[in-house]
Amino acid sequence: MHQTTNTILMVRPINFRKNEQTAVNNYFQEDIDLQNAEINKKAQEEFDGFVFKLKSFGVNVVVVSDTEESDTPDSIFPNNWISFHADGTVGLYPMFAENRRLERRDDILTELEKSEFIIENVVDYTSAEDEGLFLEGTGSIILDRVNNKAYCALSERADENLFIEFCEDFEYTPIVFVANQTVKGDRAVIYHTNVMMCVAETFAVICLDSIDDKSEKKNVLKHLKEDGKQVIDITETQMHSFAGNMLQVRGEKDAQFLVMSKAAHESLTQSQLAKINNHCKIISSSLETIETCGGGSARCMMAEVFLPKS
C-alpha cells in the first residue's frame, strides 16, 4: 500500500464563483470585486496552469469538465464527494451544501473505467443527507493509507458517527478532534480537516494551534510520531494562506512532490521549506481566485485515484 498516487482526478470549472451556500461556515471564502464571468475565466486560467504544471512533473492528471446542466460553483473541488481506494472501492459522500450534491456524477466513474481503472464496489453514504448529517470526503478525512489511520476534525461537515462508520467500512483507526480558527475575535470550528492538516509519506504538515483541547492535540501528535512522521507545524496565519491544504503525489520515475498553492508556498519560512525539501520537492501554482472565492486550494482540487488498473 502506498500513501501517494501518481494519478489525480480534476474537474475543470465552467461556472465557478463564490458559493453562497458554503460561505455560511467556510471562513476562508472572501468576496472579490469582479463579475462572476470574470471570476470563472480567472479560475479556468489558474486551473489550466495548475494542470499543466502537474503534468510537467510527470503526474497523470485525468481532467473532466464540469457540465452546464446544473449550478455547481464548487465542482472544482471533487475530493469532497468522492474517494478512490486500492481495492477498487469508491466512496461517495454526503455534502453540506445542497448545490454541491449536484457535483456527484456517474459519468466520471465511467470515464475512469474507460481509462482502464477497475471499480469493484461503491460505498455510498449520501443518504445521510436526508438526516442532515455530512462527511465531505477527503476534505473531512485525512487518510494515512499505509498505517490505516484516519484523522478527522469534527464540524458541521464532518459528523463523528458517520466518520466512525467510514473507518469501520474501510478498516481505518479513527483519530477524532476539533480544530478551530479565530474569526472576528472568537474561536470558530474549521470547516474541513484538510485546510489544517496534510499527511505525507514521511512527514505531516499541521496547524497544531488550531487544536485547542490539549489532550486531543497530544493524541494527534502521538499517532503521527509513532508512525515515524516528522511533524512540521504551521501557524494559523499560514493556514489562512492554505499552507495546510497540501497533497503529496508521485510524478516521473516515482519521484515524490508536495503540491500546494503559490500563496501557501510563499507563506512558509525557510526552516519549514528546508524540512519539506528534506523529504521531497515542492510543486506550487498560483490559485489566488480559486482560493479567495472558493475557500479551498490545491489539495481540494485533487481527488487521488488509487484504483487498480486492468
Side-chain angles (χ1 to χ4, degrees):
M1 168 58 70
H2 290 288
Q3 175 63 14
T4 57
T5 176
N6 73 333
T7 303
I8 300 295
L9 169 74
M10 295 178 68
V11 178
R12 189 175 191 271
I14 55 168
N15 281 310
F16 179 81
R17 65 169 198 279
K18 181 180 176 183
N19 185 351
E20 60 289 341
Q21 292 186 18
T22 57
V24 294
N25 58 17
N26 178 349
Y27 305 112
F28 288 76
Q29 284 175 265
E30 295 175 34
D31 290 312
I32 196 167
D33 192 20
L34 290 172
Q35 296 297 316
N36 283 341
E38 183 65 20
I39 289 170
N40 182 64
K41 182 170 174 287
K42 282 181 172 292
Q44 286 180 329
E45 287 167 4
E46 290 171 3
F47 178 93
D48 293 341
F50 187 26
V51 170
F52 179 83
K53 192 162 268 192
L54 287 169
K55 287 183 171 178
S56 73
F57 286 95
V59 182
N60 177 27
V61 186
V62 179
V63 177
V64 178
S65 180
D66 190 13
T67 66
E68 292 276 9
E69 287 156 33
S70 41
D71 177 33
T72 48
D74 280 336
S75 61
I76 199 168
F77 304 133
N79 83 307
N80 299 142
W81 68 265
I82 195 163
S83 67
F84 304 100
H85 303 266
D87 63 353
T89 302
V90 171
L92 297 178
Y93 298 93
M95 309 283 281
F96 169 79
E98 287 186 26
N99 62 5
R100 292 216 61 191
R101 300 169 195 175
L102 304 170
E103 295 171 29
R104 297 188 294 251
R105 287 164 46 193
D106 290 340
D107 65 300
I108 288 179
L109 299 185
T110 308
E111 199 66 35
L112 286 168
E113 288 183 313
K114 277 186 196 162
S115 301
E116 299 184 338
F117 288 102
I118 299 166
I119 296 170
E120 299 278 8
N121 181 32
V122 176
V123 181
D124 188 342
Y125 299 102
T126 59
S127 62
E129 288 166 353
D130 302 335
E131 301 164 60
L133 302 175
F134 314 107
L135 184 70
E136 296 194 336
T138 55
S140 299
I141 305 165
I142 307 296
L143 297 175
D144 182 339
R145 293 175 188 258
V146 175
N147 297 295
N148 293 99
K149 289 180 182 176
Y151 296 82
C152 182
L154 301 179
S155 71
E156 280 185 276
R157 307 198 197 182
D159 178 78
E160 184 167 9
N161 290 331
L162 265 183
F163 173 59
I164 299 299
E165 187 182 336
F166 164 87
C167 289
E168 287 170 355
D169 291 342
F170 285 86
E171 298 182 347
Y172 281 88
T173 300
I175 297 138
V176 177
F177 55 97
V178 175
N180 293 302
Q181 65 191 120
T182 301
V183 180
K184 295 175 183 170
D186 293 320
R187 295 298 268 169
V189 173
I190 292 173
Y191 80 108
H192 275 162
T193 318
N194 78 357
V195 292
M196 54 74 63
M197 181 179 194
C198 156
V199 173
E201 199 165 73
T202 51
F203 64 100
V205 177
I206 184 169
C207 179
L208 290 170
D209 281 350
S210 69
I211 308 174
D212 294 342
D213 185 287
K214 284 187 179 143
S215 62
E216 289 181 351
K217 187 185 301 192
K218 199 172 172 183
N219 186 48
V220 169
L221 276 170
K222 175 183 84 77
H223 281 284
L224 291 171
K225 286 179 175 173
E226 77 183 16
D227 296 328
K229 309 284 185 198
Q230 180 182 11
V231 175
I232 301 169
D233 190 15
I234 57 169
T235 65
E236 192 169 324
T237 303
Q238 289 174 319
M239 178 181 76
H240 279 279
S241 293
F242 293 97
N245 197 243
M246 304 163 163
L247 181 68
Q248 192 179 38
V249 301
R250 279 186 287 132
E252 201 170 14
K253 296 180 180 168
D254 266 357
Q256 299 272 19
F257 298 97
L258 188 65
V259 183
M260 65 187 75
S261 71
K262 181 172 176 245
H265 197 171
E266 289 177 351
S267 79
L268 296 171
T269 65
Q270 288 306 312
S271 168
Q272 290 165 327
L273 289 167
K275 286 174 186 170
I276 291 167
N277 284 316
N278 280 338
H279 297 274
C280 63
K281 288 182 177 164
I282 291 171
I283 299 174
S284 64
S285 193
S286 177
L287 302 171
E288 186 182 359
T289 312
I290 293 164
E291 290 176 327
T292 305
C293 296
S297 187
R299 183 349 165 193
C300 304
M301 294 169 67
M302 299 181 283
E304 304 152 274
V305 181
F306 282 90
L307 299 170
K309 287 199 98 165
S310 58

